[in-house]
Amino acid sequence: MKVLVPVKRVIDYNVKVRVKSDGTGVETANVKMSMNPFDEIALEEAMRLKEAGKVTEVIAVSCGVAQAQETLRTGMAIGADRAILVETSTDLEPLAVAKLLKAVADKEQPQLIILGKQAIDDDSNQTGQMLAALLGWPQATFASKVVLEGGTVTVTREVDGGSETLALTLPAIVTTDLRLNEPRYVTLPNIMKAKKKQLDVLKPEELGVDVTPRLKTLKVVEPAKRSAGIKVPDAATLVAKLRTEAKVI
């Protein structure tokens, strides 16, 4: 069984994001980049399925700039057998990424696609769902447990009221949540092995996908600083302020 794991190169979660002075976006020059944490969880889950003997090949795929090869090498150091980069300098929107991943899936014919539920840079939470719609595959989002058995994947997912369990017939798409697993540390020997693994580079044109942006960013600003709270002497004063000043009751 072949599993495809899309991964995204994002600003490292430990870095404090700064908005550019001209308001066109966030500062990425000389900023540490790393694999999107949710995608790292997806890759870890794929590796656990492979180690359990349920999966034969894990392929990491990324869409973006040439530097995303570093992210894919990290993915192969975690354990992915090979990697594919769809290289483009265009700012990719979720729909464009979903179309590129569909083209890669049509080419590779995986039985399962596991990806993070969202990226920490844009927080769109759209790619997995769009990809499922384009492929016409069943999907289970926000997975906190994945069990692969024969031609079925059983997914426990988090919902507002608790959790629910879905059984999907393969091929299927699963998006991962934080509580699914804890990714392993990458060891130096595996980093060295990853340098010798196969990494194919494709262009959107080769896949027949138009990635022209459909949205235009007008302005990016930092959120307003929170004002300090105030103390009130008693409950009556609190209610009065909520009614007359905050106007919430």
Side-chain angles (χ1 to χ4, degrees), residues 29-44:
N30 300 317
V31 172
K32 182 184 177 185
M33 310 292 281
S34 61
M35 186 186 298
N36 177 46
F38 289 101
D39 297 336
E40 202 172 349
I41 291 168
L43 188 54
E44 172 65 27

Side-chain angles (χ1 to χ4, degrees), residues 3 6 38 46 67 73 75 78 91 105 110 112 119 131 158 161 174 180 185:
V3 175
F38 289 101
Q67 292 90 325
R73 291 290 177 196
I78 291 172
D91 286 336
L112 182 63
L131 179 57
E158 299 186 3
V174 174
L180 179 58
Y185 288 105

